[in-house]
Amino acid sequence: MVVARRLLASLIVVALASPAIAQPGDEPPYVVPEFMTQLPPLPPNVDAKSVWRLDLAEALQVAIHQNTNVVVERQQVRIQDLGIDVAKGKFEPVVNAFVDHNSIDTPPTTTIVGMAGQVVNTTSQDWNVSASQTLESGAQAQVAFSNNRADTGAADAIDPLLYSSNVTASILQPILRGFSTDLVVPRADVLRAKITSKRERAQLAVTASNIVQLTENAYWDLVNALYTYDLYVHSQQRAQDQLSLTHRQIDAGLLPPSDLITAETTLAQRQLQVVQAELTIEQTSDALRSAMNLPRDQWSRPILPTERPSFATQPGTAEDALAIAIKNRPELAQLDLDVQTAIINLRQAENNKLPQLNLGLSGSLYGVDPTYNGALDGLGRHDATGYSLSLNFSWTPLMRATSAAAEISRSSERIAAANRQQAVQDTWAAVRDAVRNQSSTERQVLAAAKFRELATENLAVEQRKFAASTSSNFLVAQRQEDLATAQLAELQAVLSHKKALVQLLRAEGTLLEARHVLLR
Protein backbone atom coordinates (compact mmCIF):
# COMPACT_ATOMS: atom_id res chain seq x y z
CA MET A 1 0.00 0.00 0.00
CA VAL A 2 2.93 2.34 0.74
CA VAL A 3 4.39 1.63 -2.68
CA ALA A 4 1.01 2.28 -4.28
CA ARG A 5 0.67 5.63 -2.51
CA ARG A 6 4.14 6.70 -3.59
CA LEU A 7 3.45 5.68 -7.15
CA LEU A 8 0.12 7.47 -7.11
CA ALA A 9 1.85 10.64 -5.94
CA SER A 10 4.27 10.42 -8.82
CA LEU A 11 1.34 9.88 -11.19
CA ILE A 12 -0.20 13.16 -10.02
CA VAL A 13 3.00 14.97 -10.90
CA VAL A 14 2.99 13.32 -14.31
CA ALA A 15 -0.68 14.20 -14.80
CA LEU A 16 -0.05 17.84 -13.97
CA ALA A 17 3.00 18.03 -16.21
CA SER A 18 1.59 16.23 -19.23
CA PRO A 19 -0.65 18.37 -21.46
CA ALA A 20 -2.15 15.28 -23.01
CA ILE A 21 -3.32 14.03 -19.65
CA ALA A 22 -4.02 17.38 -18.09
CA GLN A 23 -6.73 18.01 -20.66
CA PRO A 24 -9.20 15.12 -20.42
CA GLY A 25 -11.14 16.37 -23.43
CA ASP A 26 -8.16 15.50 -25.66
CA GLU A 27 -8.16 11.88 -24.47
CA PRO A 28 -10.53 9.06 -25.48
CA PRO A 29 -13.42 8.52 -23.07
CA TYR A 30 -12.36 6.61 -20.00
CA VAL A 31 -13.36 2.96 -19.92
CA VAL A 32 -13.41 1.10 -16.62
CA PRO A 33 -10.91 -1.77 -16.84
CA GLU A 34 -12.18 -5.32 -16.91
CA PHE A 35 -11.09 -6.16 -13.37
CA MET A 36 -13.55 -3.51 -12.06
CA THR A 37 -16.53 -4.59 -14.16
CA GLN A 38 -17.27 -7.78 -12.21
CA LEU A 39 -18.14 -8.17 -8.55
CA PRO A 40 -14.97 -8.99 -6.65
CA PRO A 41 -14.72 -12.40 -4.99
CA LEU A 42 -14.87 -12.81 -1.25
CA PRO A 43 -12.15 -14.76 0.56
CA PRO A 44 -12.62 -18.55 0.37
CA ASN A 45 -13.38 -18.85 4.10
CA VAL A 46 -16.59 -16.81 3.72
CA ASP A 47 -19.92 -18.62 3.84
CA ALA A 48 -21.46 -17.78 0.47
CA LYS A 49 -24.98 -18.61 1.67
CA SER A 50 -24.93 -15.92 4.36
CA VAL A 51 -23.50 -13.11 2.20
CA TRP A 52 -25.41 -9.83 2.30
CA ARG A 53 -25.41 -8.41 -1.23
CA LEU A 54 -25.63 -4.74 -0.34
CA ASP A 55 -26.08 -1.86 -2.76
CA LEU A 56 -25.25 1.72 -1.83
CA ALA A 57 -28.86 2.91 -1.60
CA GLU A 58 -29.72 0.18 0.91
CA ALA A 59 -26.60 0.90 2.95
CA LEU A 60 -27.56 4.57 3.20
CA GLN A 61 -31.15 3.72 4.05
CA VAL A 62 -30.09 1.40 6.86
CA ALA A 63 -27.63 3.96 8.20
CA ILE A 64 -30.21 6.76 8.24
CA HIS A 65 -32.84 4.51 9.81
CA GLN A 66 -30.63 3.04 12.55
CA ASN A 67 -28.11 5.72 13.40
CA THR A 68 -28.78 6.90 16.94
CA ASN A 69 -27.78 10.50 16.17
CA VAL A 70 -30.41 10.66 13.45
CA VAL A 71 -32.99 9.05 15.74
CA VAL A 72 -32.23 11.63 18.44
CA GLU A 73 -32.43 14.51 15.96
CA ARG A 74 -35.82 13.30 14.74
CA GLN A 75 -37.08 13.41 18.32
CA GLN A 76 -35.61 16.87 18.74
CA VAL A 77 -37.52 17.99 15.64
CA ARG A 78 -40.73 16.65 17.16
CA ILE A 79 -40.00 18.43 20.43
CA GLN A 80 -39.44 21.75 18.70
CA ASP A 81 -42.58 21.29 16.58
CA LEU A 82 -44.55 20.82 19.77
CA GLY A 83 -42.82 23.90 21.13
CA ILE A 84 -44.74 25.94 18.54
CA ASP A 85 -48.01 24.77 20.09
CA VAL A 86 -46.65 25.65 23.51
CA ALA A 87 -45.82 29.18 22.32
CA LYS A 88 -49.26 29.53 20.75
CA GLY A 89 -50.82 28.62 24.09
CA LYS A 90 -50.77 32.27 25.14
CA PHE A 91 -53.31 32.95 22.38
CA GLU A 92 -55.67 30.14 23.38
CA PRO A 93 -59.02 31.08 24.96
CA VAL A 94 -59.35 30.55 28.71
CA VAL A 95 -62.71 29.73 30.28
CA ASN A 96 -63.33 30.43 33.97
CA ALA A 97 -66.35 29.50 36.09
CA PHE A 98 -67.18 30.59 39.62
CA VAL A 99 -69.94 29.64 42.07
CA ASP A 100 -70.35 30.73 45.68
CA HIS A 101 -72.94 30.87 48.46
CA ASN A 102 -72.96 33.47 51.23
CA SER A 103 -75.11 33.81 54.34
CA ILE A 104 -74.81 36.80 56.73
CA ASP A 105 -76.76 37.65 59.92
CA THR A 106 -76.46 41.31 60.88
CA PRO A 107 -78.34 43.60 63.27
CA PRO A 108 -80.10 46.52 61.61
CA THR A 109 -78.20 49.76 61.65
CA THR A 110 -81.26 51.93 61.09
CA THR A 111 -84.96 51.63 61.79
CA ILE A 112 -85.49 51.60 58.07
CA VAL A 113 -83.64 48.29 57.85
CA GLY A 114 -85.28 46.72 60.92
CA MET A 115 -86.36 46.96 64.52
CA ALA A 116 -84.04 47.05 67.52
CA GLY A 117 -83.03 43.57 68.65
CA GLN A 118 -83.90 42.11 65.31
CA VAL A 119 -81.34 40.10 63.28
CA VAL A 120 -81.44 40.54 59.54
CA ASN A 121 -80.38 37.49 57.50
CA THR A 122 -79.09 37.92 53.96
CA THR A 123 -78.17 35.02 51.70
CA SER A 124 -76.75 35.26 48.23
CA GLN A 125 -75.49 32.97 45.50
CA ASP A 126 -73.21 33.94 42.64
CA TRP A 127 -72.53 31.96 39.49
CA ASN A 128 -70.28 33.46 36.90
CA VAL A 129 -68.61 32.26 33.69
CA SER A 130 -66.10 34.13 31.56
CA ALA A 131 -63.97 33.53 28.51
CA SER A 132 -60.80 35.49 27.86
CA GLN A 133 -58.19 35.39 25.14
CA THR A 134 -55.00 37.16 24.21
CA LEU A 135 -55.21 38.23 20.58
CA GLU A 136 -52.24 38.22 18.22
CA SER A 137 -52.19 41.99 18.44
CA GLY A 138 -51.42 41.65 22.15
CA ALA A 139 -54.92 42.74 23.16
CA GLN A 140 -56.69 41.10 26.11
CA ALA A 141 -60.30 40.35 25.21
CA GLN A 142 -62.87 39.05 27.71
CA VAL A 143 -66.58 38.24 27.81
CA ALA A 144 -68.13 37.62 31.23
CA PHE A 145 -71.61 36.47 32.23
CA SER A 146 -72.33 37.17 35.94
CA ASN A 147 -75.39 36.20 37.99
CA ASN A 148 -76.50 36.92 41.57
CA ARG A 149 -79.40 35.73 43.70
CA ALA A 150 -79.96 37.77 46.87
CA ASP A 151 -82.53 36.88 49.55
CA THR A 152 -82.74 39.32 52.46
CA GLY A 153 -85.02 40.07 55.38
CA ALA A 154 -84.14 43.78 55.46
CA ALA A 155 -87.19 45.99 55.61
CA ASP A 156 -85.74 48.48 53.15
CA ALA A 157 -85.12 45.88 50.44
CA ILE A 158 -86.89 46.54 47.15
CA ASP A 159 -87.84 42.88 47.08
CA PRO A 160 -86.89 40.14 49.52
CA LEU A 161 -85.73 37.98 46.63
CA LEU A 162 -83.86 39.59 43.77
CA TYR A 163 -81.97 38.23 40.77
CA SER A 164 -79.42 40.24 38.81
CA SER A 165 -77.53 39.29 35.63
CA ASN A 166 -74.73 41.08 33.89
CA VAL A 167 -72.97 40.56 30.54
CA THR A 168 -69.72 42.45 30.03
CA ALA A 169 -67.41 42.51 27.01
CA SER A 170 -64.04 44.23 27.30
CA ILE A 171 -60.81 44.62 25.41
CA LEU A 172 -57.50 46.08 26.53
CA GLN A 173 -55.07 46.88 23.68
CA PRO A 174 -51.41 47.87 24.18
CA ILE A 175 -50.56 50.78 21.89
CA LEU A 176 -46.82 51.25 22.49
CA ARG A 177 -44.97 48.62 24.50
CA GLY A 178 -45.97 45.10 23.49
CA PHE A 179 -47.40 46.16 20.12
CA SER A 180 -46.22 46.57 16.52
CA THR A 181 -48.25 47.07 13.38
CA ASP A 182 -46.75 43.99 11.72
CA LEU A 183 -47.52 41.94 14.89
CA VAL A 184 -43.91 40.77 15.21
CA VAL A 185 -43.52 42.05 18.77
CA PRO A 186 -46.70 40.54 20.29
CA ARG A 187 -46.07 37.26 18.40
CA ALA A 188 -42.34 37.12 19.17
CA ASP A 189 -42.54 33.89 21.18
CA VAL A 190 -44.40 32.07 18.42
CA LEU A 191 -42.02 33.34 15.74
CA ARG A 192 -39.01 32.23 17.78
CA ALA A 193 -40.55 28.81 18.29
CA LYS A 194 -41.13 28.43 14.55
CA ILE A 195 -37.55 29.48 13.82
CA THR A 196 -36.26 27.00 16.40
CA SER A 197 -38.28 24.26 14.74
CA LYS A 198 -36.83 25.11 11.32
CA ARG A 199 -33.34 25.23 12.80
CA GLU A 200 -33.75 21.77 14.30
CA ARG A 201 -34.88 20.42 10.93
CA ALA A 202 -31.74 21.92 9.40
CA GLN A 203 -29.70 20.23 12.15
CA LEU A 204 -31.33 16.93 11.22
CA ALA A 205 -30.18 17.50 7.64
CA VAL A 206 -26.66 18.27 8.88
CA THR A 207 -26.55 15.09 10.93
CA ALA A 208 -28.00 12.98 8.12
CA SER A 209 -25.53 14.43 5.60
CA ASN A 210 -22.64 13.53 7.88
CA ILE A 211 -23.95 9.99 8.24
CA VAL A 212 -24.48 9.62 4.49
CA GLN A 213 -20.95 10.81 3.74
CA LEU A 214 -19.46 8.57 6.43
CA THR A 215 -21.43 5.55 5.24
CA GLU A 216 -20.71 6.07 1.55
CA ASN A 217 -16.99 6.50 2.21
CA ALA A 218 -17.01 3.32 4.30
CA TYR A 219 -18.88 1.55 1.50
CA TRP A 220 -16.26 2.51 -1.09
CA ASP A 221 -13.48 1.58 1.35
CA LEU A 222 -14.92 -1.94 1.47
CA VAL A 223 -15.22 -1.98 -2.33
CA ASN A 224 -11.57 -0.94 -2.50
CA ALA A 225 -10.54 -3.68 -0.05
CA LEU A 226 -12.38 -6.38 -2.01
CA TYR A 227 -11.00 -5.36 -5.38
CA THR A 228 -7.53 -5.01 -3.85
CA TYR A 229 -7.86 -8.55 -2.53
CA ASP A 230 -8.89 -9.72 -6.00
CA LEU A 231 -5.90 -7.98 -7.57
CA TYR A 232 -3.55 -9.56 -5.06
CA VAL A 233 -5.06 -12.97 -5.73
CA HIS A 234 -4.43 -12.51 -9.46
CA SER A 235 -0.94 -11.22 -8.69
CA GLN A 236 -0.34 -14.30 -6.59
CA GLN A 237 -1.55 -16.49 -9.44
CA ARG A 238 0.85 -14.77 -11.83
CA ALA A 239 3.67 -15.38 -9.38
CA GLN A 240 2.59 -19.04 -9.11
CA ASP A 241 2.55 -19.36 -12.90
CA GLN A 242 5.99 -17.76 -13.08
CA LEU A 243 7.30 -20.20 -10.47
CA SER A 244 5.92 -23.12 -12.48
CA LEU A 245 7.51 -21.77 -15.66
CA THR A 246 10.81 -21.34 -13.83
CA HIS A 247 10.68 -24.98 -12.69
CA ARG A 248 10.16 -26.10 -16.28
CA GLN A 249 12.99 -23.98 -17.61
CA ILE A 250 15.34 -25.19 -14.89
CA ASP A 251 14.38 -28.76 -15.69
CA ALA A 252 15.09 -28.03 -19.37
CA GLY A 253 18.49 -26.58 -18.48
CA LEU A 254 17.57 -23.08 -19.68
CA LEU A 255 17.93 -21.45 -16.26
CA PRO A 256 20.22 -22.08 -13.32
CA PRO A 257 18.60 -23.51 -10.11
CA SER A 258 19.44 -20.27 -8.29
CA ASP A 259 16.69 -18.48 -10.24
CA LEU A 260 14.15 -20.52 -8.27
CA ILE A 261 14.83 -18.43 -5.16
CA THR A 262 13.71 -15.21 -6.86
CA ALA A 263 10.49 -16.78 -8.11
CA GLU A 264 9.70 -18.33 -4.70
CA THR A 265 10.45 -15.03 -2.96
CA THR A 266 8.03 -13.22 -5.29
CA LEU A 267 5.33 -15.81 -4.64
CA ALA A 268 5.81 -15.54 -0.85
CA GLN A 269 5.49 -11.77 -1.09
CA ARG A 270 2.24 -12.10 -3.06
CA GLN A 271 0.87 -14.60 -0.54
CA LEU A 272 1.60 -12.14 2.27
CA GLN A 273 -0.26 -9.41 0.37
CA VAL A 274 -3.30 -11.68 0.05
CA VAL A 275 -3.30 -12.38 3.80
CA GLN A 276 -3.02 -8.67 4.57
CA ALA A 277 -5.81 -7.90 2.10
CA GLU A 278 -8.10 -10.39 3.89
CA LEU A 279 -7.48 -8.52 7.15
CA THR A 280 -8.29 -5.21 5.45
CA ILE A 281 -11.59 -6.67 4.22
CA GLU A 282 -12.55 -7.54 7.78
CA GLN A 283 -11.56 -4.11 9.07
CA THR A 284 -13.40 -2.15 6.36
CA SER A 285 -16.45 -4.42 6.73
CA ASP A 286 -16.58 -3.57 10.43
CA ALA A 287 -16.20 0.13 9.59
CA LEU A 288 -19.23 -0.09 7.29
CA ARG A 289 -21.21 -2.05 9.89
CA SER A 290 -20.36 0.63 12.44
CA ALA A 291 -21.44 3.43 10.07
CA MET A 292 -24.77 1.65 9.52
CA ASN A 293 -25.04 0.97 13.28
CA LEU A 294 -25.92 -2.68 12.72
CA PRO A 295 -26.93 -4.77 15.74
CA ARG A 296 -24.09 -6.91 17.09
CA ASP A 297 -25.78 -10.14 16.00
CA GLN A 298 -25.43 -9.00 12.37
CA TRP A 299 -21.71 -8.25 12.47
CA SER A 300 -20.72 -11.81 11.58
CA ARG A 301 -22.65 -11.68 8.31
CA PRO A 302 -20.31 -11.08 5.34
CA ILE A 303 -21.07 -8.00 3.22
CA LEU A 304 -20.61 -7.93 -0.54
CA PRO A 305 -21.11 -4.43 -2.03
CA THR A 306 -22.86 -4.70 -5.38
CA GLU A 307 -21.99 -1.20 -6.64
CA ARG A 308 -19.26 -1.35 -9.26
CA PRO A 309 -16.72 1.46 -9.58
CA SER A 310 -17.59 3.98 -12.26
CA PHE A 311 -16.20 7.25 -13.48
CA ALA A 312 -17.69 10.35 -15.06
CA THR A 313 -16.36 13.88 -15.15
CA GLN A 314 -18.29 16.54 -13.23
CA PRO A 315 -18.05 19.98 -14.88
CA GLY A 316 -18.40 23.07 -12.77
CA THR A 317 -16.46 25.83 -11.06
CA ALA A 318 -16.00 26.81 -7.44
CA GLU A 319 -18.21 29.84 -8.03
CA ASP A 320 -21.01 27.60 -9.30
CA ALA A 321 -20.57 25.32 -6.29
CA LEU A 322 -20.69 28.28 -3.88
CA ALA A 323 -23.96 29.52 -5.39
CA ILE A 324 -25.45 26.07 -4.91
CA ALA A 325 -24.08 25.84 -1.37
CA ILE A 326 -25.51 29.21 -0.29
CA LYS A 327 -28.90 28.02 -1.46
CA ASN A 328 -28.77 24.50 -0.02
CA ARG A 329 -26.29 24.17 2.87
CA PRO A 330 -28.31 23.44 6.05
CA GLU A 331 -25.54 24.98 8.15
CA LEU A 332 -26.03 28.31 6.37
CA ALA A 333 -29.78 27.97 6.74
CA GLN A 334 -29.27 27.58 10.49
CA LEU A 335 -27.21 30.76 10.65
CA ASP A 336 -29.82 32.62 8.61
CA LEU A 337 -32.38 31.54 11.19
CA ASP A 338 -30.07 32.70 13.98
CA VAL A 339 -29.96 36.13 12.35
CA GLN A 340 -33.77 36.18 12.14
CA THR A 341 -34.02 35.29 15.83
CA ALA A 342 -31.54 38.01 16.76
CA ILE A 343 -33.55 40.57 14.76
CA ILE A 344 -36.77 39.57 16.56
CA ASN A 345 -35.02 39.80 19.93
CA LEU A 346 -33.68 43.24 19.04
CA ARG A 347 -37.09 44.51 17.95
CA GLN A 348 -38.64 43.25 21.15
CA ALA A 349 -35.89 44.81 23.25
CA GLU A 350 -36.29 48.16 21.49
CA ASN A 351 -40.06 47.94 21.95
CA ASN A 352 -39.61 47.38 25.69
CA LYS A 353 -38.04 50.82 25.96
CA LEU A 354 -41.38 52.41 25.07
CA PRO A 355 -43.88 53.52 27.74
CA GLN A 356 -46.76 51.24 28.57
CA LEU A 357 -49.91 52.74 27.07
CA ASN A 358 -53.05 50.59 27.09
CA LEU A 359 -56.40 51.53 25.62
CA GLY A 360 -59.37 49.84 27.25
CA LEU A 361 -62.99 49.61 26.15
CA SER A 362 -65.82 47.70 27.77
CA GLY A 363 -69.58 47.49 27.47
CA SER A 364 -72.18 45.93 29.82
CA LEU A 365 -75.79 44.85 29.88
CA TYR A 366 -77.74 44.53 33.15
CA GLY A 367 -80.90 42.76 34.11
CA VAL A 368 -82.58 42.84 37.58
CA ASP A 369 -85.84 41.15 38.55
CA PRO A 370 -87.45 39.16 41.39
CA THR A 371 -87.30 36.16 39.03
CA TYR A 372 -84.26 34.80 37.18
CA ASN A 373 -86.13 34.66 33.88
CA GLY A 374 -87.12 38.25 34.34
CA ALA A 375 -83.47 39.24 34.89
CA LEU A 376 -82.50 37.44 31.70
CA ASP A 377 -85.32 39.12 29.82
CA GLY A 378 -83.98 42.44 31.03
CA LEU A 379 -80.64 41.58 29.43
CA GLY A 380 -82.37 40.81 26.18
CA ARG A 381 -84.34 44.06 26.24
CA HIS A 382 -81.17 46.08 27.02
CA ASP A 383 -83.01 47.75 29.87
CA ALA A 384 -79.78 48.83 31.52
CA THR A 385 -76.50 49.37 29.72
CA GLY A 386 -73.14 50.84 30.44
CA TYR A 387 -69.74 51.35 28.90
CA SER A 388 -66.29 52.53 29.93
CA LEU A 389 -63.28 53.87 28.09
CA SER A 390 -59.87 53.90 29.75
CA LEU A 391 -56.31 54.88 28.98
CA ASN A 392 -53.56 53.54 31.22
CA PHE A 393 -50.00 54.93 31.07
CA SER A 394 -46.83 53.84 32.85
CA TRP A 395 -43.20 54.69 32.11
CA THR A 396 -39.71 54.13 33.48
CA PRO A 397 -37.97 57.41 32.56
CA LEU A 398 -34.35 56.33 33.15
CA MET A 399 -34.69 53.16 31.03
CA ARG A 400 -31.41 51.77 32.33
CA ALA A 401 -32.41 48.11 32.26
CA THR A 402 -34.33 48.27 28.99
CA SER A 403 -31.57 50.24 27.25
CA ALA A 404 -28.95 47.74 28.40
CA ALA A 405 -31.11 44.86 27.23
CA ALA A 406 -31.54 46.51 23.83
CA GLU A 407 -27.79 47.03 23.49
CA ILE A 408 -27.20 43.37 24.36
CA SER A 409 -29.67 42.31 21.69
CA ARG A 410 -28.05 44.65 19.17
CA SER A 411 -24.65 43.09 19.86
CA SER A 412 -26.12 39.62 19.56
CA GLU A 413 -27.59 40.55 16.17
CA ARG A 414 -24.17 41.73 15.00
CA ILE A 415 -22.58 38.51 16.21
CA ALA A 416 -25.17 36.43 14.36
CA ALA A 417 -24.56 38.38 11.15
CA ALA A 418 -20.78 38.02 11.55
CA ASN A 419 -21.10 34.28 12.15
CA ARG A 420 -23.15 33.94 9.00
CA GLN A 421 -20.61 35.94 7.00
CA GLN A 422 -17.76 33.80 8.34
CA ALA A 423 -19.69 30.63 7.50
CA VAL A 424 -20.04 31.77 3.88
CA GLN A 425 -16.28 32.32 3.78
CA ASP A 426 -15.68 28.86 5.25
CA THR A 427 -18.09 27.39 2.72
CA TRP A 428 -16.18 29.08 -0.07
CA ALA A 429 -12.97 27.42 1.13
CA ALA A 430 -14.77 24.07 1.43
CA VAL A 431 -16.25 24.13 -2.08
CA ARG A 432 -12.95 25.27 -3.58
CA ASP A 433 -11.21 22.37 -1.90
CA ALA A 434 -13.93 19.96 -3.04
CA VAL A 435 -13.83 21.17 -6.66
CA ARG A 436 -10.03 21.08 -6.67
CA ASN A 437 -10.03 17.59 -5.17
CA GLN A 438 -12.52 16.37 -7.76
CA SER A 439 -10.52 17.84 -10.63
CA SER A 440 -7.35 16.30 -9.26
CA THR A 441 -8.88 12.85 -8.90
CA GLU A 442 -10.21 13.04 -12.46
CA ARG A 443 -6.68 13.56 -13.76
CA GLN A 444 -5.37 10.87 -11.43
CA VAL A 445 -7.83 8.39 -12.95
CA LEU A 446 -6.65 9.18 -16.49
CA ALA A 447 -2.99 9.07 -15.47
CA ALA A 448 -3.44 5.78 -13.60
CA ALA A 449 -5.30 4.25 -16.55
CA LYS A 450 -2.41 5.19 -18.86
CA PHE A 451 0.10 3.68 -16.47
CA ARG A 452 -1.94 0.48 -16.15
CA GLU A 453 -2.03 0.11 -19.94
CA LEU A 454 1.72 0.57 -20.18
CA ALA A 455 2.37 -1.79 -17.24
CA THR A 456 0.26 -4.46 -18.90
CA GLU A 457 2.21 -4.11 -22.15
CA ASN A 458 5.55 -4.13 -20.31
CA LEU A 459 4.66 -7.31 -18.44
CA ALA A 460 3.62 -9.03 -21.66
CA VAL A 461 6.90 -8.02 -23.30
CA GLU A 462 8.96 -9.18 -20.33
CA GLN A 463 7.14 -12.51 -20.18
CA ARG A 464 7.89 -13.09 -23.88
CA LYS A 465 11.53 -12.25 -23.24
CA PHE A 466 11.63 -14.66 -20.30
CA ALA A 467 10.10 -17.40 -22.42
CA ALA A 468 12.88 -16.73 -24.95
CA SER A 469 15.49 -16.83 -22.14
CA THR A 470 16.41 -13.19 -22.67
CA SER A 471 15.06 -11.94 -19.35
CA SER A 472 15.13 -12.97 -15.69
CA ASN A 473 12.72 -13.79 -12.88
CA PHE A 474 13.70 -10.58 -11.18
CA LEU A 475 12.61 -8.46 -14.15
CA VAL A 476 9.40 -10.42 -14.61
CA ALA A 477 8.61 -10.04 -10.91
CA GLN A 478 9.32 -6.35 -11.18
CA ARG A 479 6.92 -5.97 -14.12
CA GLN A 480 4.29 -7.98 -12.23
CA GLU A 481 4.71 -5.66 -9.27
CA ASP A 482 4.39 -2.65 -11.58
CA LEU A 483 1.14 -4.01 -13.03
CA ALA A 484 -0.31 -4.75 -9.59
CA THR A 485 0.68 -1.30 -8.39
CA ALA A 486 -0.79 0.35 -11.49
CA GLN A 487 -4.07 -1.55 -11.10
CA LEU A 488 -4.26 -0.57 -7.44
CA ALA A 489 -3.46 3.04 -8.31
CA GLU A 490 -6.26 3.11 -10.89
CA LEU A 491 -8.71 1.46 -8.50
CA GLN A 492 -7.88 3.91 -5.74
CA ALA A 493 -8.03 6.87 -8.14
CA VAL A 494 -11.52 5.86 -9.36
CA LEU A 495 -12.77 5.36 -5.79
CA SER A 496 -11.08 8.57 -4.64
CA HIS A 497 -13.03 10.32 -7.38
CA LYS A 498 -16.24 8.78 -6.01
CA LYS A 499 -15.36 10.10 -2.56
CA ALA A 500 -14.46 13.48 -4.02
CA LEU A 501 -17.91 13.69 -5.56
CA VAL A 502 -19.46 12.91 -2.16
CA GLN A 503 -17.30 15.64 -0.66
CA LEU A 504 -18.47 18.12 -3.29
CA LEU A 505 -22.15 17.23 -2.84
CA ARG A 506 -21.71 17.58 0.92
CA ALA A 507 -20.04 20.97 0.49
CA GLU A 508 -22.87 22.10 -1.79
CA GLY A 509 -25.54 20.83 0.60
CA THR A 510 -27.13 18.57 -2.06
CA LEU A 511 -25.89 15.18 -0.85
CA LEU A 512 -29.22 14.05 0.60
CA GLU A 513 -31.10 15.05 -2.54
CA ALA A 514 -28.55 13.39 -4.81
CA ARG A 515 -28.77 10.16 -2.82
CA HIS A 516 -32.59 10.34 -2.60
CA VAL A 517 -32.54 10.36 1.20
CA LEU A 518 -35.86 11.52 2.63
CA LEU A 519 -36.03 12.81 6.20
CA ARG A 520 -39.52 12.22 7.48
Side-chain angles (χ1 to χ4, degrees), residues 40-169:
L42 290 167
N45 59 342
V46 173
D47 182 9
K49 296 181 180 179
S50 62
V51 170
W52 183 4
R53 299 171 67 87
L54 180 67
D55 61 26
L56 179 59
E58 184 180 3
L60 298 180
Q61 182 181 8
V62 171
I64 290 296
H65 179 71
Q66 297 192 170
N67 185 271
T68 53
N69 290 333
V70 175
V71 172
V72 170
E73 282 301 329
R74 283 199 176 102
Q75 292 301 315
Q76 289 292 343
V77 169
R78 174 168 171 76
I79 290 173
Q80 299 306 329
D81 285 346
L82 294 174
I84 298 176
D85 292 334
V86 173
K88 287 182 177 179
K90 65 182 294 184
F91 299 118
E92 291 183 358
V94 178
V95 177
N96 292 300
F98 174 77
V99 177
D100 71 353
H101 173 80
N102 300 287
S103 178
I104 302 175
D105 291 331
T106 58
T109 57
T110 66
T111 56
I112 298 176
V113 176
M115 303 298 295
Q118 182 181 0
V119 176
V120 178
N121 176 260
T122 301
T123 60
S124 66
Q125 292 87 33
D126 297 286
W127 60 99
N128 307 323
V129 61
S130 66
S132 61
Q133 182 175 2
T134 301
L135 305 181
E136 292 194 355
S137 65
Q140 300 287 333
Q142 184 180 47
V143 176
F145 178 43
S146 304
N147 298 272
N148 175 263
R149 177 184 183 277
D151 186 2
T152 179
D156 63 342
I158 297 175
D159 198 292
L161 180 61
L162 195 64
Y163 290 89
S164 62
S165 295
N166 177 25
V167 174
T168 302

Side-chain angles (χ1 to χ4, degrees), residues 163 165 368-381:
Y163 290 89
S165 295
V368 180
D369 196 82
T371 65
Y372 185 55
N373 288 337
L376 295 180
D377 290 339
L379 288 178
R381 292 191 305 269

Side-chain angles (χ1 to χ4, degrees), residues 247-484:
H247 272 295
R248 291 195 298 271
Q249 292 198 345
I250 291 174
D251 293 341
L254 300 176
L255 291 176
S258 60
D259 276 16
L260 192 62
I261 297 177
T262 301
E264 289 177 341
T265 301
T266 300
L267 178 59
Q269 182 183 16
R270 302 296 185 267
Q271 290 171 338
L272 175 60
Q273 289 174 337
V274 170
V275 173
Q276 292 173 335
E278 290 178 353
L279 175 61
T280 303
I281 290 174
E282 294 179 3
Q283 292 172 335
T284 52
S285 294
D286 279 357
L288 179 57
R289 294 182 183 108
S290 178
M292 293 192 296
N293 199 31
L294 294 180
R296 287 190 296 272
D297 59 0
Q298 296 184 21
W299 279 53
S300 59
R301 185 182 182 187
I303 299 177
L304 177 61
T306 59
E307 298 287 339
R308 295 171 177 81
S310 60
F311 173 80
T313 58
Q314 299 291 329
T317 65
E319 288 77 10
D320 295 334
L322 179 63
I324 296 173
I326 290 177
K327 182 180 179 181
N328 295 284
R329 278 287 291 257
E331 295 89 344
L332 293 180
Q334 287 181 307
L335 293 172
D336 287 336
L337 294 171
D338 289 345
V339 172
Q340 293 179 28
T341 299
I343 292 174
I344 291 174
N345 292 340
L346 177 58
R347 288 197 56 183
Q348 190 173 38
E350 290 288 352
N351 180 267
N352 287 338
K353 294 166 60 177
L354 298 175
Q356 187 77 49
L357 182 62
N358 297 335
L359 176 64
L361 176 65
S362 66
S364 301
L365 298 176
Y366 300 92
V368 180
D369 196 82
T371 65
Y372 185 55
N373 288 337
L376 295 180
D377 290 339
L379 288 178
R381 292 191 305 269
H382 301 173
D383 288 345
T385 62
Y387 75 92
S388 68
L389 183 64
S390 65
L391 196 63
N392 181 45
F393 177 83
S394 66
W395 182 39
T396 306
L398 298 181
M399 297 188 297
R400 291 174 179 172
T402 53
S403 296
E407 189 59 34
I408 291 173
S409 296
R410 188 173 295 106
S411 297
S412 298
E413 190 270 338
R414 292 169 182 164
I415 292 173
N419 288 339
R420 203 270 182 188
Q421 184 178 2
Q422 182 60 49
V424 172
Q425 185 69 15
D426 294 341
T427 301
W428 168 242
V431 297
R432 277 180 58 86
D433 182 63
V435 170
R436 181 171 52 247
N437 190 25
Q438 186 186 43
S439 176
S440 175
T441 54
E442 286 180 3
R443 290 184 288 171
Q444 289 178 39
V445 170
L446 300 178
K450 187 66 175 178
F451 178 61
R452 186 254 310 160
E453 293 172 359
L454 295 175
T456 302
E457 295 175 5
N458 285 339
L459 176 59
V461 170
E462 205 64 45
Q463 286 175 332
R464 288 195 296 270
K465 288 181 179 180
F466 183 83
S469 301
T470 59
S471 183
S472 65
N473 272 306
F474 175 77
L475 292 177
V476 172
Q478 194 173 51
R479 298 296 178 266
Q480 289 177 344
E481 177 69 18
D482 290 344
L483 177 58

